[in-house]
Amino acid sequence: KKSVGIYRDVGRLRIAQGRNDDAELAFAQGMTLRYRGVNPNLNELETIYRKNHLSLDGWNAYVAALTEKERATRRARILATRDSSPKLAPPFRLADLAGHVTDSDTLRNRFTVVNFWGTWCGPCVAEMPELQQFYDKYKDDRSVSILTISNDKDLAGLKEWMAARRLTIPTLFDDGFVEARANIHAFPSTWFIAPGGTTQFVAVGNTGSLVEEWTWRLEAMRAKPIPVVPEH
């Protein structure tokens, strides 16, 4: 998901299949990924544009429109993953890195984002700077709580790791909850929980567009929370 080369190759395949519109969207999504130098997906789009227009007149407007179309397509796809019959998230009581205990019951009136990770997990580590940006975006909003649960085994090492990177995201230390009760086996995984405690979105993996895509999920919950469906 984070390889510009994969998106380029998918775009080329779609061109070979005669699916030019889908090819453009693949190249546009590849352009959203960080890349040193000139993103090859941009070159592919320029080739398509020159072929269709015989010049680069209107190129900037074309790229802007295509980028917005890709964002709208991706946003719709993400919001369609919302659970229409959300269940209550399993409760927890876990200590943070300073030893202060957080009880999930105290978060029931908030929109809560819980990220499961570990320093041993490459994709988790890669998304931490963006997770910090997302936390900073909402840290003064009293209706929102953003926290992580690390299942690292070395508390002192985790403290040093966080401090060295100046990460201030509230982080809880796993006591076995992650595997035994949360049933998390893929990292990173993130729960988006509405007031009342229902998990309405689950994000797995690192897409490289955390702030944007997590904001879409959080704001969708705020716009229209889905109530819990009682289990029978």
Side-chain angles (χ1 to χ4, degrees), residues 21-73:
D21 289 346
D22 290 338
E24 288 179 319
L25 287 179
F27 294 141
Q29 190 163 0
M31 282 172 48
T32 68
L33 303 181
R34 297 184 184 91
Y35 186 78
R36 291 184 179 179
V38 178
N39 191 310
N41 291 280
L42 184 63
N43 291 335
E44 296 289 347
L45 285 173
E46 184 175 325
T47 298
I48 291 175
Y49 191 86
R50 282 185 181 275
K51 181 178 179 180
N52 292 338
H53 299 272
L54 304 179
S55 76
L56 286 179
D57 292 344
W59 163 251
N60 291 336
Y62 161 79
V63 171
L66 185 57
T67 300
E68 184 55 36
K69 181 180 179 181
E70 184 279 324
R71 288 182 71 254
T73 300

Side-chain angles (χ1 to χ4, degrees), residues 192-205:
F192 296 79
I193 304 171
T198 60
T199 303
Q200 301 198 2
F201 289 100
V202 176
V204 179

Side-chain angles (χ1 to χ4, degrees), residues 131-132 135-136 139 146 162-163 165-171:
L131 203 160
Q132 180 71 52
Y135 170 71
D136 290 341
K139 67 181 179 181
I146 298 167
M162 298 280 289
R165 290 157 180 80
R166 299 183 179 180
L167 297 172
T168 61
I169 312 151
T171 298

Side-chain angles (χ1 to χ4, degrees), residues 153-168:
K153 307 306 179 186
D154 180 0
L155 178 58
L158 177 60
K159 288 180 180 179
E160 292 178 5
W161 192 93
M162 298 280 289
R165 290 157 180 80
R166 299 183 179 180
L167 297 172
T168 61

Side-chain angles (χ1 to χ4, degrees), residues 191-220:
W191 290 347
F192 296 79
I193 304 171
T198 60
T199 303
Q200 301 198 2
F201 289 100
V202 176
V204 179
N206 176 356
T207 67
S209 302
L210 185 153
V211 177
E212 181 175 63
E213 294 178 0
W214 286 21
T215 297
W216 290 339
R217 293 180 175 96
L218 178 57
E219 295 303 330

